[in-house]
Amino acid sequence: AQKITQTQPGMFVQEKEAVTLDCTYDTSDQSYGLFWYKQPSSGEMIFLIYQGSYDEQNATEGRYSLNFQKARKSANLVISASQLGDSAMYFCAMRLKTSYDKVIFGPGTSLSVIP
Amino acid sequence: EADIYQTPRYLVIGTGKKITLECSQTMGHDKMYWYQQDPGMELHLIHYSYGVNSTEKGDLSSESTVSRIRTEHFPLTLESARPSHTSQYLCASSDSGVNTGELFFGEGSRLTVL
């Protein structure tokens, strides 16, 4: 079965600290992609970072990095130097190339940054 | 700037009415998706399309139907709306020829069925 699991419904982090949001996935596909999206209270979906299943290096985008451990099927998001504007819902998602690019999302983690 | 549009943004209708949620994108993307999301909750895939006349159902069972007659247009139809259909519906598109193939989202259609 194809599934995304995010085990942290809610997280708190102090401003300027780093935080890791967990994501594990389940698929028998060899070719897939993993995304992280941010959804603030305004409701828009903001793309943060992408990791392909064949990429050997962990993806990084500014303060965001993706800790990809293929054997463990995990794709954790690391946010460095948290800012108040980082408070939002964060969703992990998976694209399945062998299913016509089907994209499924996890249940999300609500992150609150404390001043 | 993503160019994907959803109409209507808000809709309040009575039980039993037929509704169509419109989604259009001007980016020439081959893939399009419909998700259902309650506030602050998971996005559930209800339909997706990988090209003209090529659609698939998602993981969430839905009474809605979709069509993809033109690349840029992916409407979702509910033949007979019920209160259980009350939710936000998000449309997205992506270009599978791009490495990341990120999804670009519309602003959503918030449906309330009385």
Side-chain angles (χ1 to χ4, degrees), chain A residues 96-112:
Chain A
L96 297 151
K97 299 296 287 181
T98 55
S99 298
Y100 303 111
D101 283 344
K102 177 182 181 180
V103 178
I104 60 173
F105 282 76
T109 294
S110 176
L111 177 67
S112 297

Side-chain angles (χ1 to χ4, degrees), chain A residues 35 37 94-104, chain B residues 3-5 23-35 45 47-56 66-68 70-75 90-106:
Chain A
F35 303 86
Y37 279 83
M94 177 168 62
R95 172 193 294 278
L96 297 151
K97 299 296 287 181
T98 55
S99 298
Y100 303 111
D101 283 344
K102 177 182 181 180
V103 178
I104 60 173
Chain B
D3 294 314
I4 178 164
Y5 308 100
C23 178
S24 293
Q25 51 97 3
T26 59
M27 298 170 282
H29 288 172
D30 55 336
K31 306 295 194 297
M32 295 189 75
Y33 307 82
W34 276 106
Y35 294 91
L45 179 66
H47 297 282
Y48 65 105
S49 168
Y50 50 95
V52 171
N53 294 324
S54 301
T55 63
E56 295 283 335
V66 292
S67 63
R68 188 98 182 269
R70 303 195 315 266
T71 298
E72 62 271 21
H73 195 214
F74 191 43
L90 291 170
C91 180
S93 71
S94 73
D95 181 352
S96 60
V98 173
N99 182 38
T100 64
E102 70 188 85
L103 270 63
F104 293 88
F105 282 85

Side-chain angles (χ1 to χ4, degrees), chain B:
Chain B
E1 187 81 17
D3 294 314
I4 178 164
Y5 308 100
Q6 290 185 241
T7 57
R9 292 287 316 279
Y10 303 93
L11 180 62
V12 181
I13 59 166
T15 298
K17 299 292 187 185
K18 177 180 178 179
I19 63 145
T20 297
L21 304 181
E22 301 286 351
C23 178
S24 293
Q25 51 97 3
T26 59
M27 298 170 282
H29 288 172
D30 55 336
K31 306 295 194 297
M32 295 189 75
Y33 307 82
W34 276 106
Y35 294 91
Q36 184 176 338
Q37 184 189 31
D38 292 323
M41 304 295 284
E42 183 171 353
L43 280 78
H44 294 283
L45 179 66
I46 46 177
H47 297 282
Y48 65 105
S49 168
Y50 50 95
V52 171
N53 294 324
S54 301
T55 63
E56 295 283 335
K57 290 191 175 183
D59 295 337
L60 181 68
S61 175
S62 174
E63 292 156 353
S64 59
T65 59
V66 292
S67 63
R68 188 98 182 269
I69 299 171
R70 303 195 315 266
T71 298
E72 62 271 21
H73 195 214
F74 191 43
L76 181 143
T77 298
L78 274 167
E79 289 294 332
S80 180
R82 295 206 303 268
S84 61
H85 296 136
T86 295
S87 190
Q88 170 153 270
Y89 294 83
L90 291 170
C91 180
S93 71
S94 73
D95 181 352
S96 60
V98 173
N99 182 38
T100 64
E102 70 188 85
L103 270 63
F104 293 88
F105 282 85
E107 292 183 298
S109 291
R110 189 170 294 281
L111 173 66
T112 302
V113 184
L114 303 175

